[in-house]
Amino acid sequence: MSSEARASLEIAASPEDVYDLVADVASMGQWSPEATGAAGAPQTLQRGDQFWGLNKRGLARWFTRCTVVEAERGKLFSFDVDFPPLPVSRWTYEFEPTDTGCRVTETWDDRREGLVGVPIKLVGQLIIPGDRSTHNQRNIETTLARLKAAAEK
């Protein structure tokens, strides 16, 4: 079982414009098949800011505490996800300029390690049975496709 999922997609929009869509975490539900949005997020997120990530899968609903670890407009946006007090994952979005816009790379890194990670992995299996990295790979591909469609309108 992998502890990472990653995909890239070229988008015909500036890195700054696409960054602004991603960093508006309250609107993430427009792109993501699992994240529905966020609560408590400042208008402009900076390193160290926290927000509550809201998620769903089928009938299951849950929230996570998210902490911004990198926020460089048009280049990099990354946040850690915790189910307090347990670490869950890190989501990273990298923006690279291209001749026609930008290439966006979305990465999920599993932070549920060692004995501390066992309880959160067990809870996760109840919500999403199977390999989480395979599940997140599909979600990343869907998210990037939806993000592309919105950014290129």
Side-chain angles (χ1 to χ4, degrees):
M1 186 165 15
S2 176
S3 62
E4 178 184 272
R6 172 190 300 249
S8 297
L9 190 63
E10 294 231 9
I11 298 177
S14 75
E16 293 79 14
D17 287 346
V18 181
Y19 176 97
D20 291 345
L21 292 174
V22 169
D24 179 8
V25 292
S27 297
M28 186 53 79
Q30 295 176 52
W31 339 120
S32 171
E34 189 169 292
T36 61
Q43 184 70 25
T44 303
L45 289 167
Q46 302 294 320
R47 184 181 210 174
D49 285 343
Q50 293 188 333
F51 60 92
W52 292 100
L54 310 173
N55 306 279
K56 70 170 178 59
R57 175 159 168 94
L59 296 175
R61 304 284 187 268
W62 69 98
F63 62 91
T64 54
R65 185 185 62 210
C66 303
T67 304
V68 177
V69 293
E70 296 290 338
E72 189 174 352
R73 186 170 184 255
K75 296 185 187 219
L76 181 65
F77 183 69
S78 183
F79 57 93
D80 282 347
V81 176
D82 300 305
F83 192 76
L86 303 172
V88 177
S89 62
R90 174 171 288 173
W91 289 90
T92 302
Y93 299 83
E94 299 169 90
F95 307 87
E96 178 185 348
T98 64
D99 291 340
T100 58
C102 67
R103 176 178 298 106
V104 180
T105 301
E106 182 178 2
T107 306
W108 167 81
D109 291 298
D110 194 349
R111 295 175 50 236
R112 304 168 300 163
E113 300 174 350
L115 291 176
V116 170
V118 171
I120 200 71
K121 283 182 181 181
L122 292 172
V123 169
Q125 284 294 309
L126 295 174
I127 297 170
I128 300 163
D131 181 21
R132 183 67 181 186
S133 61
T134 300
H135 171 82
N136 283 347
Q137 182 68 40
R138 286 190 306 269
N139 281 356
I140 286 171
E141 292 166 5
T142 299
T143 298
L144 290 175
R146 290 175 179 172
L147 186 62
K148 176 181 175 76
E152 292 180 351
K153 279 187 180 178

